[in-house]
């Protein structure tokens, strides 16, 4: 008699010459070394995977060592300063890399949180990454063209005879004239 899926042939107690296929009864070691099976289940070790294969009477291959689920190495990596996560050639590890080029990236002036204008968001991220500074896009367009609040370039309002900086372009600052 041939048994499959890891089962072994045992003589039956029902009578001489009778046998059946049974799964091994010995316990698996308590070692926790997770493996991922082809049934998308995580088993605590290879022995447990083989036991499941026998009890379910279907082929379960070892897909990978470690638990099933997100095998993306970038899922546990947080990149900052404009860098992005890049997977290694084997797909097992990841590291943060600065953008090498902005070729093909959308263009259009953006205002950075540092008060500087950049030709595009990619250039902003490249500079932030190269300098290891936490600079982000504040808004689209040049920094000095945003209304409704303080900007990186002063807005000037005409007073009675003196030019004074205005914080709100809708309300010109007035300086009393000397009497």
């Amino acid at each position: 008699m041939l048994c499959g899926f890891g089962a072994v042939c045992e003589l039956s107690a029902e009578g001489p010459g009778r046998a059946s296929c049974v799964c091994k009864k010995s316990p698996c070691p308590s070692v926790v070394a997770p493996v991922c099976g082809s049934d998308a289940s995580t088993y605590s070790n290879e022995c447990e995977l083989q036991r499941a294969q026998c009890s379910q009477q279907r082929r379960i291959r070892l897909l990978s060592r470690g638990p099933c689920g997100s095998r993306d190495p970038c899922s546990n990596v947080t990149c900052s300063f404009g860098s992005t996560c890049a997977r290694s050639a084997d797909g097992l590890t990841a590291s943060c890399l600065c953008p090498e080029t902005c070729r093909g990236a959308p263009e259009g002036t953006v205002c950075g949180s540092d008060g500087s204008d950049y030709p595009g968001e990619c250039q902003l991220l490249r500079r932030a990454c190269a300098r290891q500074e936490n600079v982000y896009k504040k808004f689209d367009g040049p920094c000095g063209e945003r209304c409704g609040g303080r900007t990186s370039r002063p807005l000037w309002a005409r007073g009675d005879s003196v030019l004074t900086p205005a914080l709100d372009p809708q309300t010109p600052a007035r300086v009393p004239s000397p009497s």
Side-chain angles (χ1 to χ4, degrees):
M1 173 181 273
L2 289 175
C3 298
F5 306 107
V8 292
C9 183
E10 282 189 3
L11 292 175
S12 175
E14 294 176 12
R18 300 196 83 178
S20 61
C21 294
V22 295
C23 296
K24 297 176 188 171
K25 293 179 178 88
S26 59
C28 286
S30 58
V31 173
V32 177
V35 294
C36 180
S38 57
D39 60 349
S41 295
T42 299
Y43 297 92
S44 58
N45 54 44
E46 254 183 279
C47 177
E48 293 293 347
L49 180 144
Q50 291 165 352
R51 286 183 75 158
Q53 177 176 260
C54 185
S55 66
Q56 295 173 29
Q57 286 294 287
R58 65 184 182 124
R59 176 84 173 117
I60 303 173
R61 293 182 343 274
L62 173 71
L63 279 186
S64 62
R65 302 211 176 273
C68 297
S70 176
R71 300 302 304 160
D72 182 2
C74 286
S75 62
N76 296 327
V77 175
T78 302
C79 296
S80 55
F81 308 119
S83 63
T84 54
C85 186
R87 291 159 199 78
S88 62
D90 63 7
L92 299 176
T93 60
S95 60
C96 297
L97 299 176
C98 292
E100 289 181 25
T101 179
C102 289
R103 206 171 316 126
E107 291 279 323
T109 304
V110 297
C111 177
S113 59
D114 60 352
S116 297
D117 292 342
Y118 296 90
E121 191 171 3
C122 178
Q123 287 86 349
L124 178 148
L125 295 174
R126 283 189 72 203
R127 183 169 179 194
C129 195
R131 294 184 176 191
Q132 294 292 284
E133 295 174 341
N134 194 20
V135 180
Y136 58 90
K137 180 178 94 170
K138 229 171 156 181
F139 55 82
D140 292 320
C143 292
E145 292 183 6
R146 191 70 172 227
C147 294
R150 195 180 262 294
T151 63
S152 61
R153 296 184 196 145
L155 295 171
W156 295 92
R158 180 130 179 106
D160 285 333
S161 61
V162 181
L163 289 178
T164 19
L167 298 179
D168 182 345
Q170 303 338 29
T171 315
R174 297 244 175 227
V175 176
S177 298
S179 316

